[in-house]
Amino acid sequence: MIKVGDTLPAATLMEFSEVEGNGCSLGPNPVDVAKATAGKTIALFALPGAFTPTCSAKHVPGYVEKFPELKAAGVDEIWCVSVNDAFVMGAWARDQNTGSKVRMLADGSADFAKATGLTLDLTARGMGLRSNRYSMLIKDGKVANLNVEAPGKFEVSDAATLLAQAKA
């Protein structure tokens, strides 16, 4: 499993763009993790799935709400990563009103989850291999803080915890 001090694994996530602009084409666009984190502080949180109860009711809304405080604490971008396709993540972004506050990034084949060692096998529940619920503060492509949830819990990957770490 990835740990504090490690460099993020080489991976490409996908992001759905609603409108064309800033050189982005419509539809899913690749996000090279190494390039996108270089020289930046990223508040990344990952979760088992879009539109799932805890994720939709607590996890994403918390980061949307704490956006101004995270920015003030030096966070350049907030990323939500889930093992879903980019179209689902785009629809969830609209549903959650994430706007330009939270980048909703798809890890469709769980490649990023596997590379970090943070997978969650929900095959018995009909959901296949997913991402564990966690948050991490990333500074210039390296893990500065990592908060991994115990199974079925939502106690340490919330926006308030990561905000406190960003302020430290």
Side-chain angles (χ1 to χ4, degrees):
M1 182 174 71
I2 198 165
K3 60 188 180 310
V4 171
D6 288 352
T7 298
L8 290 178
T12 300
L13 300 170
M14 297 298 288
E15 182 174 34
F16 183 81
S17 297
E18 286 281 346
V19 294
E20 194 168 358
N22 297 331
C24 293
S25 62
L26 292 173
N29 294 290
V31 176
D32 180 297
V33 170
K35 288 180 185 173
T37 59
K40 294 181 183 174
T41 297
I42 309 290
L44 182 153
F45 67 103
L47 33 79
F51 295 104
T52 54
T54 300
C55 304
S56 290
K58 297 177 182 174
H59 219 164
V60 174
Y63 280 90
V64 171
E65 178 187 320
K66 297 284 187 197
F67 170 79
E69 293 170 75
L70 284 159
K71 290 293 270 188
V75 170
D76 296 300
E77 295 179 2
I78 303 170
W79 293 8
C80 174
V81 178
S82 183
V83 180
N84 291 105
D85 65 61
F87 296 102
V88 168
M89 293 300 282
W92 198 30
R94 283 190 303 278
D95 179 74
Q96 292 287 304
N97 297 312
T98 60
S100 61
K101 295 177 180 177
V102 178
R103 294 182 74 177
M104 303 296 274
L105 301 174
D107 183 20
S109 298
D111 292 337
F112 184 75
K114 290 176 205 171
T116 60
L118 290 163
T119 58
L120 179 64
D121 189 353
L122 293 176
T123 303
R125 296 174 73 190
M127 295 174 69
L129 189 66
R130 296 294 179 131
S131 173
N132 202 346
R133 184 182 306 280
Y134 67 89
S135 67
M136 63 172 74
L137 191 64
I138 302 157
K139 294 186 178 185
D140 195 26
K142 292 188 186 293
V143 180
N145 296 88
L146 177 62
N147 312 293
V148 182
E149 295 287 1
K153 299 292 184 183
F154 179 61
E155 300 170 343
V156 298
S157 64
D158 60 302
T161 298
L162 209 58
L163 175 60
Q165 292 169 339
K167 287 180 173 179

